[in-house]
């Protein structure tokens, strides 16, 4: 199978060290496997987009020597495609309109692995789609498992652990879970290498792929960079700067975070780094981080 990978940043600020780690892992993995590597701008939630940050991220990636194939796609320009898929799921009665408020849900819901499990209140209502209302996907009791290349086997029962989840938001935007599945399929991505914060989202994405008849992908979720308090790094993190002036320093910091071997010779240019990294990348070294 031809290898197609991608890096999918959300343009909500500059490229921070946590995203750089995901970018380095997915690019090095694609290079090592002689694959194609794409960049996709995940600006589906336009309310969170910071103007100018998409271009800033692309310029930073260029300065760090990343070279992507094909044109960068922007989720904000793919609304028609998402609407088509939403329509298909609704016609198949796999999706339904939900007008419950957060408070109504909280009053009835059990707690799952990511907060309240939607109690299914609107499942039977059959409300017509209208603006201002969310659309949820019906989940089932089937166990969904996958073998992550870094984290090992992971399973979820969606109806118990997550509940019927939102695929189209009440504010009118397509939910990340739906957009990502459609984009990865349309871009014929074969392996996703990304941060471990999305490990719990993966069974939802596999479920959607199955419903839509999309091919199954391989996954590698790399450990998250945390701050001193053990929280996920924010875009404002000042302790781990990503610098276009000292690109090799930033690349090597990400590389070492991923437990990769140190270069035995001095690397002077980003081009030399990537040539060397393509050869030396070893995804199996990362799991040591989890122990
Ligand atoms: N856009 C997401 C982020 O920046 C990544 C989504 C993905 O890789 O599937 O965290």
């Amino acid at each position: 199978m031809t290898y197609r990978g991608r890096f999918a940043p959300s343009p909500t600020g500059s490229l921070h060290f946590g995203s750089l780690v995901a970018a380095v892992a997915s690019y090095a993995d694609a290079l090592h496997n002689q694959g194609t590597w794409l960049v996709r701008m995940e600006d589906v939630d336009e309310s969170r987009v910071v103007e100018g940050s998409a271009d800033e991220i692309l310029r930073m990636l260029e300065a760090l020597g990343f070279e992507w194939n094909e044109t960068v796609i922007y989720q904000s320009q793919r609304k028609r495609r998402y609407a088509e898929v939403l329509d298909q799921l609704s016609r198949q009665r796999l999706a339904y309109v939900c007008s419950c408020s957060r408070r109504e849900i909280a009053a009835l819901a059990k707690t799952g692995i990511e907060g309240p499990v939607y109690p299914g209140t609107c499942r039977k209502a059959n409300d017509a789609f209208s603006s201002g209302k969310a659309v949820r996907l019906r989940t089932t009791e089937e166990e969904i498992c996958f073998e992550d290349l870094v984290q090992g086997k992971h399973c979820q029962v969606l109806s118990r652990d997550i509940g019927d989840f939102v695929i189209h938001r009440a504010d009118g935007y397509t939910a990340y879970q739906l957009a990502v599945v459609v984009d990865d399929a349309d871009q014929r991505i074969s392996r996703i290498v990304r941060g471990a914060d999305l490990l719990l989202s993966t069974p939802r994405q596999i479920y959607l792929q199955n419903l839509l008849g999309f091919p199954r992908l391989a996954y590698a979720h790399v450990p998250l960079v945390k701050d001193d308090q053990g929280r996920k790094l924010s875009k404002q993190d000042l302790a781990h700067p990503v610098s276009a002036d000292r690109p090799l320093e930033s690349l090597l910091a990400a590389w070492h975070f991923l437990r990769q071997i140190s270069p035995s010779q001095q690397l002077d240019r980003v081009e030399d780094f990537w040539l060397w990294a393509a050869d030396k990348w070893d995804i199996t070294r990362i799991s040591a981080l989890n122990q």
Side-chain angles (χ1 to χ4, degrees):
M1 186 168 63
T2 47
Y3 182 119
R4 287 173 68 86
R6 52 52 159 197
F7 173 55
S10 305
T12 54
S14 359
L15 188 81
H16 62 90
F17 186 67
S19 337
L20 178 65
V21 165
V24 165
S26 73
Y27 189 47
D29 198 62
L31 287 177
H32 184 74
N33 291 289
Q34 284 101 41
T36 297
W37 187 73
L38 311 181
V39 174
R40 177 170 77 228
M41 278 297 157
E42 300 217 315
D43 56 354
V44 69
D45 180 351
E46 292 172 63
S47 64
R48 288 184 56 231
V49 168
V50 173
E51 215 187 299
S53 70
D55 287 344
E56 198 191 314
I57 291 172
L58 294 175
R59 278 199 306 273
M60 181 63 84
L61 289 174
E62 267 165 9
L64 297 174
F66 289 85
E67 288 180 22
W68 50 94
N69 306 99
E70 305 176 15
T71 5
V72 175
I73 70 162
Y74 288 75
Q75 291 186 321
S76 55
Q77 288 165 17
R78 288 176 46 78
K79 290 178 188 162
R80 203 178 296 168
R81 174 73 177 125
Y82 305 143
E84 201 176 273
V85 175
L86 186 67
D87 191 50
Q88 178 188 337
L89 292 167
S90 309
R91 273 188 282 112
Q92 291 174 290
R93 301 223 173 262
L94 295 165
Y96 61 91
V97 171
C98 167
S99 39
C100 299
S101 67
R102 261 175 225 260
R103 190 183 297 177
E104 284 165 335
I105 296 172
L108 291 173
K110 294 203 177 94
T111 304
I113 54 177
E114 238 184 31
V117 173
Y118 181 67
T121 323
C122 295
R123 260 191 173 208
K124 291 207 183 76
N126 211 5
D127 280 355
F129 182 74
S130 69
S131 60
K133 290 187 180 169
V135 179
R136 290 183 182 271
L137 190 71
R138 277 175 206 278
T139 54
T140 67
E141 284 163 22
E142 172 204 6
E143 189 177 46
I144 297 177
C145 295
F146 68 102
E147 192 64 43
D148 190 272
L149 293 163
V150 174
Q151 313 280 343
K153 189 172 179 179
H154 183 79
C155 297
Q156 274 174 22
V157 173
L158 287 180
S159 61
R160 177 195 68 200
D161 299 332
I162 300 289
D164 294 355
F165 57 95
V166 171
I167 52 173
H168 183 83
R169 297 169 17 170
D171 60 11
Y173 296 123
T174 304
Y176 157 73
Q177 305 292 355
L178 182 68
V180 80
V181 165
V182 175
D183 293 344
D184 285 329
D186 288 357
Q187 295 194 293
R188 304 192 316 285
I189 300 302
S190 62
R191 183 184 289 189
I192 293 180
V193 181
R194 62 184 176 192
D197 51 333
L198 293 163
L199 184 73
L200 294 186
S201 288
T202 304
R204 268 168 277 180
Q205 296 175 13
I206 292 174
Y207 178 61
L208 267 165
Q209 285 155 11
N210 293 345
L211 293 180
L212 293 164
F214 293 160
R216 185 99 173 222
L217 317 177
Y219 291 93
H221 286 90
V222 302
L224 282 190
V225 185
K226 307 244 173 83
D227 65 13
D228 296 342
Q229 273 85 49
R231 291 181 302 236
K232 187 186 164 187
L233 271 202
S234 73
K235 307 251 169 192
Q236 292 76 34
D237 187 78
L238 302 173
H240 302 77
V242 177
S243 162
D245 301 331
R246 294 190 307 280
L248 279 167
E249 232 172 84
S250 301
L251 288 170
L252 283 167
W255 182 257
H256 287 135
F257 177 81
L258 291 159
R259 292 285 193 273
Q260 301 298 304
I261 57 163
S262 297
S264 51
Q265 77 276 30
Q266 168 85 20
L267 298 166
D268 294 321
R269 300 174 316 148
V270 287
E271 293 83 350
D272 301 332
F273 169 81
W274 285 116
L275 270 177
W276 173 84
D279 182 42
K280 295 293 185 281
W281 172 253
D282 180 359
I283 201 168
T284 63
R285 293 182 65 93
I286 309 176
S287 44
L289 256 183
N290 296 319
Q291 272 134 43

